Amino acid sequence: MCKHGKEMKVLVACEESQVVTKAFRKLGIEAFSCDIQECSGGHPEWHIKGCAVEEAYSGKYELMIAHPPCTFMSKAGARWMYPVAGIVSRDRYFKAIEAKDLFLKFLDAPIKYIAVENPVPLKIVGLPIHSQVIQPYEYGHEFSKKTLLWLKGLPKLASTEIISEYKPYLPSNTGGKKRGQKYQFKSISQKESSKTFIGIAEAMAGQWGKYVK
Ligand SMILES: C[S@@+](CC[C@H](N)C(=O)[O-])C[C@H]1O[C@@H](n2cnc3c(N)ncnc32)[C@H](O)[C@@H]1O
């Protein structure tokens, strides 16, 4: 039950890995992942394959955590947005605006408690100001990967275990390799690299699950 006397249901929108969904389920909270892809997390019975916007507007959920696609909005993609210094790629810009539209549909969904997660966006996309910046190394992982949260009705996520020695999870994409970036990156697919860190998922489930309950 949530604090408003309703059975508590959580939607984890745009999640195929089920990392966050499983963290909520571990605490006995009914959570569902929703993605246009099949789930890879091993629990198809907790997965809704389809458009997460429809689920977000269905009126079934008290809490939603959304991980909308960031490829065209992210600052890490600056060199594709500006292939020639100072000149915007029209194609890339229109894709970014499409992604922004999806992002805002999640942020504006009729759900009392909302967290939308994304990396640092390009200024030109004009996303609203975020509520908080988090890093995997604040949640027990030895990596940095700057992650922004846009929160509605939820308190900021508190760090759980700060690791003082950490390395970047992903290359900077700004020519670091050519400049002799010291750290050797493991080669991982885009799908793999966009999975939520378990420490962050557990913090979300533990802290926000308790808050909404
Ligand atoms: C940046 S990834 C987030 C992955 C997530 N962190 C995870 O651990 O699975 C974005 C995800 O959004 C999904 N997606 C894109 N459009 C969607 C939509 N309209 N409804 C549901 N999922 C969508 C993609 O298939 C992809 O899995």
Side-chain angles (χ1 to χ4, degrees):
M1 289 285 218
C2 73
K3 56 189 172 195
H4 311 288
K6 279 196 342 201
E7 209 53 58
M8 179 172 165
K9 266 195 187 173
V10 178
L11 173 64
V12 189
C14 302
E15 185 184 59
E16 62 74 30
S17 70
Q18 299 190 297
V19 175
V20 178
T21 303
K22 287 193 281 189
F24 275 96
R25 290 275 175 172
K26 220 163 121 185
L27 300 179
I29 298 170
E30 196 179 13
F32 294 90
S33 53
C34 178
D35 200 289
I36 48 176
Q37 301 182 57
E38 301 285 353
C39 63
S40 66
H43 285 280
E45 72 281 18
W46 301 337
H47 189 64
I48 299 157
K49 190 183 167 207
C51 179
V53 175
E54 274 176 38
E55 278 304 301
Y57 283 71
S58 67
K60 290 191 273 186
Y61 303 94
E62 277 66 57
L63 164 63
M64 173 176 68
I65 295 161
H67 308 278
C70 56
T71 312
F72 300 109
M73 296 194 290
S74 166
K75 199 172 170 189
R79 65 170 156 153
W80 292 286
M81 181 66 92
Y82 301 98
V84 178
I87 299 186
V88 177
S89 153
R90 278 174 69 85
D91 178 52
R92 190 92 185 171
Y93 179 73
F94 287 124
K95 286 181 174 152
I97 295 305
E98 241 174 60
K100 177 185 179 181
D101 184 54
L102 185 64
F103 178 102
L104 292 177
K105 281 190 175 118
F106 289 119
L107 196 61
D108 293 340
I111 296 180
K112 194 166 169 66
Y113 305 100
I114 296 178
V116 183
E117 172 270 326
N118 243 226
V120 180
L122 285 162
K123 271 208 182 103
I124 192 174
V125 182
L127 287 189
I129 303 284
H130 55 276
S131 317
Q132 182 180 10
V133 178
I134 57 169
Q135 289 276 6
Y137 61 73
E138 295 165 338
Y139 300 87
H141 297 273
E142 53 162 9
F143 294 110
S144 60
K145 185 184 174 203
K146 198 170 178 182
T147 303
L148 309 190
L149 298 175
W150 286 257
L151 305 174
K152 275 190 166 174
L154 289 170
K156 287 183 180 173
L157 201 62
S159 57
T160 50
E161 185 192 351
I162 300 196
I163 305 292
S164 52
E165 283 199 20
Y166 52 83
K167 51 201 174 213
Y169 189 58
L170 299 169
S172 66
N173 255 343
T174 52
K177 210 172 173 186
K178 275 194 221 138
R179 294 197 315 264
Q181 211 156 35
K182 281 198 191 91
Y183 174 60
Q184 279 303 104
F185 292 91
K186 244 192 346 179
S187 139
I188 47 171
S189 65
Q190 195 182 13
K191 189 167 173 174
E192 202 56 38
S193 71
S194 71
K195 290 189 199 307
T196 311
F197 284 85
I198 286 183
I200 294 179
E202 286 176 347
M204 288 175 168
Q207 296 174 33
W208 292 339
K210 192 169 164 201
Y211 183 80
V212 174
K213 266 186 165 175

